[in-house]
Amino acid sequence: MDLPKGKAIPIEYEWVERAYRKVKQGGKAVGIDKESWTEFDKNINDNLYVIWNRLTSGSYHPQGVREVEIPKKDGKKRKLGIPTLRDRIAQQVVKEYMEERIDKIFHENSYGYRPMKSAHQAIEAVRQNCYKQDWVLDMDIKSFFDEIDHELMLRAVEYLMKEKWVKMYVERWLKMPVHKKDGTIMEKQGKGTPQGGVISPLLANIYLHFTLDLWISRNLPKVSFVRYADDIIIHCSSKLEAEKILAAVKARLAETKLQIKEEKTRIVYCKDYHRKENHEDVKFEFLGFSYQPRARKAEGCRNTFMAFTAEISQSSQKRIREEIRSEKLWRNTRIEINEIAGNFNPRIRGWINYYGKYSKRTLRSVMMSIEKRLIKWIMRKYKLGHRKSYAKLKVIKQAHPNLFYHWQKGYC
């Protein structure tokens, strides 16, 4: 798809500058051209001008994405497509232009990758819905980003955005070839958008807005649901209703060339102190939290009761502990403890700010992994036994109570 000659695209140079600042905060991974931010910044004004000039003339063409693999919780690999730095900037420009105009049409229960929406809001919405309804349909879409149909995607974009140049650039990004690790180049076969692209989350929201959000609102108006990108939780009043909805959703997804990931989709009973039926599945995970029956104490009361609520999941705990354990700094006894704190504090702050909202007690036990590693590091650095190393760490805490972020927040 091309624009008529002589038709300028109304993109301001300031948008490209703003997109550059935004994208640069997102990471240093290089694309297939291997250009780094250091190299890009050597001639930043000219580079930004070239991107702007090509975007406004309709002559901007992406180079393709570099495929990388990252481990998933189940031991498998997730494939990401890393665009070039220049393409990330271009995608950010168009993404912001689109988002400003269409975000308001998205469903209120869609929380992922949207301005003024957050994962915590989605987690809380699921928590509140679990109090009100007895059953949960926890759904996973199979290879969602790989299966997005280009024709349906472009029809949705064209419906929402009347500017032809928007559809033109979206189409070019959808068709970007994938440069695999072994050097081969894989052309798209009319489906998929790279997980890792700046614009991909917005395209995912557009696709699932029409595929599920609107469909649920029209066909199941009394059903509550929460969606964060392709993670979907549907709340039901009975197991029978959940089974019927699951069958209906499967049929709907098939119409839009998607399918359920059967092994990850579950129907769960929200068991607590007043919902006492015996069912096999009473636990599900959502955005790093597990929802399940847990003993809780009412404020000002000694007795405990069973609540169905959220807490950091076992898999999230395992991942954090593994990240702490595998840190290479623990092997270096020539550095000082403040260097370890400087390395860990940004991550600790992220863990506490995200998971501490609902699971301070459990998260505290995870943070103790840092304390154990610090003691072992002190033992090696100062040639001390365990007891003296523990005492030395205690002295350091008393002298520098704000050295580690979890010390500041009482997670130790």
Side-chain angles (χ1 to χ4, degrees), residues 6 24 98 103 130 135 159-160 209 215 304 328 383:
K24 192 175 180 181
M98 294 174 66
D103 183 75
C130 286
W135 292 85
Y159 177 81
L160 294 173
H209 172 72
W215 180 84
T304 62
K328 293 179 180 179
K383 306 294 191 294

Side-chain angles (χ1 to χ4, degrees), residues 198-251:
V198 173
I199 203 168
S200 293
L202 176 59
L203 298 182
N205 274 335
I206 291 172
Y207 202 88
L208 287 176
H209 172 72
F210 291 104
T211 296
L212 274 181
D213 300 353
L214 281 183
W215 180 84
I216 291 174
S217 298
R218 290 169 180 170
N219 295 277
L220 305 166
K222 295 182 180 180
V223 169
S224 299
F225 74 96
V226 173
R227 183 174 67 77
Y228 192 95
D230 58 332
D231 288 335
I232 304 137
I233 302 293
I234 299 179
H235 300 268
C236 311
S237 58
S238 69
K239 187 176 183 180
L240 179 61
E241 182 186 43
E243 291 170 343
K244 289 181 178 179
I245 290 174
L246 177 56
V249 168
K250 284 182 180 180

Side-chain angles (χ1 to χ4, degrees), residues 146-384:
D146 295 331
E147 297 297 325
I148 288 178
D149 182 78
H150 289 182
E151 182 182 351
L152 294 177
M153 181 80 259
L154 291 170
R155 279 166 54 186
V157 170
E158 188 173 30
Y159 177 81
L160 294 173
M161 302 292 301
K162 303 309 177 186
E163 299 91 332
K164 291 183 178 180
W165 63 268
V166 172
K167 181 183 175 184
M168 177 187 72
Y169 280 135
V170 169
E171 185 172 7
R172 289 178 187 176
W173 283 314
L174 288 174
K175 292 181 177 179
M176 284 190 299
V178 177
H179 294 243
K180 302 179 77 66
K181 292 177 68 176
D182 62 7
T184 60
I185 300 176
M186 184 182 74
E187 298 292 338
K188 292 294 182 64
Q189 302 298 319
K191 64 179 183 178
T193 183
Q195 202 170 353
V198 173
I199 203 168
S200 293
L202 176 59
L203 298 182
N205 274 335
I206 291 172
Y207 202 88
L208 287 176
H209 172 72
F210 291 104
T211 296
L212 274 181
D213 300 353
L214 281 183
W215 180 84
I216 291 174
S217 298
R218 290 169 180 170
N219 295 277
L220 305 166
K222 295 182 180 180
V223 169
S224 299
F225 74 96
V226 173
R227 183 174 67 77
Y228 192 95
D230 58 332
D231 288 335
I232 304 137
I233 302 293
I234 299 179
H235 300 268
C236 311
S237 58
S238 69
K239 187 176 183 180
L240 179 61
E241 182 186 43
E243 291 170 343
K244 289 181 178 179
I245 290 174
L246 177 56
V249 168
K250 284 182 180 180
R252 172 57 182 169
L253 289 178
E255 292 174 356
T256 56
K257 303 185 181 182
L258 298 173
Q259 58 182 309
I260 288 286
K261 192 172 186 178
E262 298 285 354
E263 63 271 25
K264 290 288 189 72
T265 297
R266 308 168 65 199
I267 294 174
V268 175
Y269 180 60
C270 303
K271 188 172 184 176
D272 61 14
Y273 71 95
H274 68 88
R275 296 178 288 202
K276 301 180 180 179
E277 297 176 17
N278 290 321
H279 294 279
E280 184 178 353
D281 282 333
V282 293
K283 174 184 176 181
F284 68 95
E285 289 191 17
F286 181 63
L287 299 182
F289 287 80
S290 65
Y291 294 74
Q292 64 188 77
R294 290 187 173 89
R296 288 289 184 264
K297 283 185 179 181
E299 190 174 346
C301 182
R302 293 184 178 181
N303 297 328
T304 62
F305 66 97
M306 190 64 69
F308 191 89
T309 189
E311 194 171 275
I312 181 174
S313 68
Q314 289 288 340
S315 58
S316 296
Q317 293 179 51
K318 182 180 178 181
R319 177 183 55 78
I320 294 172
R321 286 193 173 102
E322 176 58 27
E323 187 171 336
I324 293 168
R325 185 195 66 78
S326 61
E327 174 56 54
K328 293 179 180 179
L329 281 182
W330 300 127
R331 305 172 197 168
N332 190 348
T333 55
R334 291 174 294 179
I335 62 174
E336 300 301 324
I337 193 170
N338 62 302
E339 294 179 68
I340 297 176
N343 176 276
F344 266 108
N345 276 339
R347 286 179 279 177
I348 297 171
R349 183 178 291 106
W351 294 330
I352 289 176
N353 290 347
Y354 186 72
Y355 292 108
K357 185 174 178 66
Y358 296 113
S359 42
K360 185 171 183 177
R361 180 172 56 85
T362 305
L363 188 58
R364 185 181 290 117
S365 70
V366 179
M367 293 296 100
M368 287 304 295
S369 298
I370 298 176
E371 306 300 288
K372 292 175 183 177
R373 289 288 160 183
L374 282 171
I375 291 171
K376 290 183 179 180
W377 177 79
I378 290 171
M379 289 172 66
R380 288 195 294 269
K381 181 176 177 66
Y382 298 102
K383 306 294 191 294
L384 299 173

Side-chain angles (χ1 to χ4, degrees), residues 54-179:
R54 290 178 179 173
L55 282 173
T56 56
S57 65
S59 62
Y60 179 83
H61 289 270
Q63 288 184 265
V65 296
R66 179 175 65 89
E67 185 178 85
V68 298
E69 295 180 342
I70 60 172
K72 296 170 67 174
K73 290 188 292 185
D74 58 7
K76 297 180 181 179
K77 300 284 188 180
R78 173 181 284 113
K79 294 180 179 179
L80 300 183
I82 308 300
T84 63
L85 305 186
R86 294 167 187 258
D87 196 44
R88 275 179 254 174
I89 295 169
Q91 287 190 34
Q92 181 69 25
V93 170
V94 179
K95 174 196 172 242
E96 289 185 1
Y97 183 89
M98 294 174 66
E99 202 168 56
E100 185 179 335
R101 288 154 179 80
I102 66 175
D103 183 75
K104 58 182 176 291
I105 68 101
F106 289 148
H107 199 284
E108 63 180 354
N109 292 339
S110 168
Y111 292 88
Y113 307 105
R114 294 182 58 194
M116 310 306 292
K117 292 277 191 176
S118 70
H120 277 157
Q121 290 175 334
I123 292 160
E124 178 62 18
V126 169
R127 198 170 75 101
Q128 293 299 326
N129 288 341
C130 286
Y131 294 151
K132 300 170 187 175
Q133 293 182 285
D134 297 352
W135 292 85
V136 157
L137 172 55
D138 175 17
M139 294 195 314
D140 197 347
I141 299 177
K142 186 176 181 179
S143 304
F144 170 66
F145 282 89
D146 295 331
E147 297 297 325
I148 288 178
D149 182 78
H150 289 182
E151 182 182 351
L152 294 177
M153 181 80 259
L154 291 170
R155 279 166 54 186
V157 170
E158 188 173 30
Y159 177 81
L160 294 173
M161 302 292 301
K162 303 309 177 186
E163 299 91 332
K164 291 183 178 180
W165 63 268
V166 172
K167 181 183 175 184
M168 177 187 72
Y169 280 135
V170 169
E171 185 172 7
R172 289 178 187 176
W173 283 314
L174 288 174
K175 292 181 177 179
M176 284 190 299
V178 177
H179 294 243

